[in-house]
Amino acid sequence: MKVKSTLMAVAFAAMLSVPPAATAQQVTLMTGPQGGVWVPLGGALKGMWEKAIPGLQVQAQPGAGIANVRGIDEGKAQIGFANTITTVDGLAGRPPYPKPVTKVCQVANLYPQYYQVVVPVDANINSIADLKGKALVTQPKGNTSEIINVHMLQVYGMTYQSLAKVNFIASYTDAVSMVKDGHAQVFTLGTTVPASAVMDLASARDIKLIGIDAKILAEMKKINPGYSKLTIKAGTYPKQSKDVDVIGYATHIVASCDLPEDMVYMMTKTMAANVTDMAASNKAISGLTPKIMAEDIGVPLHKGALKFYKEAGAM
């Protein structure tokens, strides 16, 4: 009996001497609509974060810019993609947010986004004004580009009621099918260029982009100062012979301000060290630096991200 007690004591002591296994931590990452660039990029981030942070489990799920910010603020997710213009709206409590968001912090800027208005050449649409009486397919409410639709129509003195029909479709793939089949004459989306969904549509129909001029940009900036001008260069899409100026903004990563500082520090550091891998999912990320990641966009930095940027000399 004494021997048995001694063996148990030795075993217990051995257990105490072994470092405890890393506690699994699970976070939900909200990405974007199926067929968009945020989904594969989210998969790349999941892989690199789980490799860099022992015990971390990242559950990726579809989302949208505004919905992701609300989801994090409401505790339904811990990290996600968002768009600078609408995240700032969230902090201010401007529509479509029902109240100011208070639990969302900035992690990193990633790349520019282009608001694209795509129409078949034979739709006889040459400006936003020509959308009157046409059928539109766009993303569900809660998506950044859907809000830009509302603002753009407002500048032209229109609303959704001015159109023949508005289809709110979560999947870019399904949205493209509607235009291919003639059920919609206008497709809007906010993403990088060239957008795979637009290339898909261009493979079946001759298309063109509807752009903006300086006057329209000025009116849009009155609605949201975060809007900027980006140019889709000629040749980006098949048969695109001219540069097209469009509304621009930036994609960034946001997180719950309550996420552990060390975790967000490692996430930020890992992104900065793996720009090439991220660019394999989205080439718009090529050239990303800690300084670009850390640029002030009016959203408070998470303490973990701030720690990395100071360490990297980015601020």
Side-chain angles (χ1 to χ4, degrees):
M1 192 72 180
K2 183 176 181 181
V3 172
K4 185 176 180 181
S5 298
T6 301
L7 290 174
M8 289 178 65
V10 170
F12 183 68
M15 288 174 61
L16 291 178
S17 68
V18 177
T23 302
Q25 303 173 85
Q26 182 166 312
V27 299
T28 297
L29 165 67
M30 295 187 74
T31 61
Q34 293 294 338
V37 297
W38 287 359
V39 174
L41 181 55
L45 291 177
K46 168 182 164 65
M48 66 179 66
W49 285 341
E50 289 180 341
K51 182 178 179 180
I53 304 173
L56 180 65
Q57 297 176 2
V58 179
Q59 179 182 359
Q61 66 180 46
I66 295 166
N68 293 357
V69 173
R70 290 189 61 181
I72 292 170
D73 192 57
E74 295 166 5
K76 298 174 182 176
Q78 291 73 48
I79 194 162
F81 294 97
N83 295 305
T84 51
I85 49 174
T86 46
T87 303
V88 172
D89 281 341
L91 267 64
R94 290 190 289 263
Y97 294 91
K99 61 181 181 179
V101 299
T102 60
K103 302 175 183 177
V104 176
C105 284
Q106 162 79 335
V107 176
N109 301 312
L110 294 182
Y111 59 88
Q113 291 268 61
Y114 299 72
Y115 170 70
Q116 300 170 63
V117 181
V118 188
V119 302
V121 168
D122 59 9
N124 196 31
I125 298 172
N126 298 303
S127 76
I128 299 297
D130 296 331
L131 268 56
K132 187 174 183 178
K134 304 293 185 180
L136 166 71
V137 61
T138 189
Q139 289 73 65
K141 294 185 177 183
N143 189 291
T144 301
S145 59
E146 187 274 327
I147 294 301
I148 303 177
N149 293 340
V150 174
H151 293 170
M152 187 70 79
L153 290 171
Q154 179 182 329
V155 167
Y156 280 86
M158 295 190 290
T159 66
Y160 281 146
Q161 284 67 45
S162 305
L163 310 183
K165 186 177 182 181
V166 181
N167 304 278
F168 300 100
I169 304 295
S171 165
Y172 286 156
T173 304
D174 292 343
V176 167
S177 295
M178 291 194 70
V179 182
K180 285 182 179 180
D181 297 341
H183 296 299
Q185 295 81 49
V186 188
F187 174 36
T188 64
L189 71 167
T191 186
T192 53
V193 294
S196 58
V198 178
M199 293 297 285
D200 181 17
L201 179 57
S203 70
R205 303 282 299 271
D206 287 343
I207 62 164
K208 64 180 176 182
L209 301 170
I210 305 301
I212 60 165
D213 57 25
K215 181 180 178 181
I216 296 303
L217 175 62
E219 292 299 316
M220 291 290 284
K221 288 177 76 69
K222 289 180 183 178
I223 298 172
N224 188 317
Y227 288 136
S228 62
K229 183 189 80 172
L230 292 177
T231 301
I232 300 178
K233 295 293 185 180
T236 299
Y237 294 115
K239 300 183 180 180
Q240 182 195 342
S241 59
K242 298 179 181 179
D243 291 352
V244 178
D245 293 335
V246 300
I247 290 293
Y249 49 98
T251 278
H252 63 146
I253 296 285
V254 291
S256 168
C257 300
D258 293 334
L259 262 189
E261 179 178 331
D262 289 348
M263 180 188 294
V264 177
Y265 167 82
M266 282 303 302
M267 286 177 163
T268 312
K269 184 175 183 177
T270 299
M271 286 190 288
N274 290 277
V275 170
T276 301
D277 290 341
M278 291 193 292
S281 297
N282 184 349
K283 67 179 183 179
I285 296 176
S286 300
L288 183 68
T289 65
K291 188 172 182 62
I292 294 172
M293 293 168 67
E295 285 178 357
D296 182 17
I297 56 153
V299 179
L301 273 169
H302 191 287
K303 290 181 180 179
L306 178 62
K307 178 182 176 181
F308 169 73
Y309 294 135
K310 286 183 174 179
E311 179 184 281
M315 58 188 312

